[in-house]
């Protein structure tokens, strides 16, 4: 149903995930326990909950590029093309260009709160279709 990302500013996170990353806003409800805000990939039922939290020094932990995955993986059919679009929208990446690896192509993006977003394009062999 949901993947939770902790953010320090829900409005800033919403702008990043919709305007820069290209996701769509799904739910925005000012409930009694706080604002319930979700976004999602168009055409997918999975929702990403942007849950508020106070800034904590040293969080999230620094990760080594390409080694420690983030909490969110998004798949692309053409990662190099999508990378150009996202970079033009101001998305920050951990490397200057996507890299080839044994299972396809990859790069990591970072949201304004330091959450890592793994962007992947599987190789044809990795998809099981030849």
């Amino acid at each position: 149903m949901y993947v939770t990302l902790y953010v320090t500013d829900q409005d800033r996170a919403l702008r990043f995930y919709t305007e820069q990353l290209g996701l769509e806003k799904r739910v925005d409800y000012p409930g009694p326990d706080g604002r319930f805000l979700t976004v999602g990939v168009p055409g997918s039922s999975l929702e990403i909950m942007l849950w508020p939290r106070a800034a904590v020094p040293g969080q999230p932990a620094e990760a080594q590029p390409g080694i420690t995955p983030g909490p969110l993986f998004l798949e692309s059919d053409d990662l190099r093309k999508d990378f150009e679009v996202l970079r033009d929208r101001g998305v920050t990446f951990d490397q200057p260009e996507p890299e080839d690896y044994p299972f396809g192509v990859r790069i990591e993006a970072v949201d304004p709160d330091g959450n890592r977003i793994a962007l992947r394009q599987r190789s044809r062999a990795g998809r099981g279709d030849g």
Side-chain angles (χ1 to χ4, degrees):
M1 286 179 36
Y2 300 106
V3 172
T4 302
L5 292 178
Y6 296 98
V7 300
T8 57
D9 181 326
Q10 286 179 302
D11 289 323
R12 179 182 69 182
L14 180 61
R15 285 189 303 275
F16 172 79
Y17 283 97
T18 58
E19 296 172 14
Q20 291 182 274
L21 212 54
L23 304 184
E24 61 187 16
K25 180 168 76 170
R26 297 276 178 82
V27 177
D28 191 350
Y29 177 75
D33 295 324
R35 183 179 179 192
F36 186 79
L37 177 63
T38 71
V39 295
V41 175
S44 170
S45 62
L46 179 68
E47 294 185 50
I48 301 161
M49 187 179 341
L50 303 175
W51 194 253
R53 70 154 169 83
V56 178
Q59 293 294 323
E62 291 298 318
Q64 296 180 354
I67 296 175
T68 306
L72 180 63
F73 278 71
L74 297 176
E75 186 173 25
S76 170
D77 292 328
D78 187 344
L79 184 56
R80 294 184 192 286
K81 178 182 171 190
D82 289 340
F83 166 78
E84 296 292 332
V85 170
L86 297 175
R87 186 179 62 188
D88 289 347
R89 291 181 186 164
V91 173
T92 301
F93 294 93
D94 68 344
Q95 300 175 45
E97 295 287 330
E99 68 175 343
D100 294 311
Y101 75 117
F103 302 102
V105 181
R106 69 180 174 194
I107 195 160
E108 305 288 321
V110 180
D111 79 2
D113 286 294
N115 293 305
R116 298 176 66 77
I117 303 148
L119 303 172
R120 299 291 190 265
Q121 177 184 342
R122 289 190 258 179
S123 66
R124 288 186 63 79
R127 294 177 192 207
D129 60 1

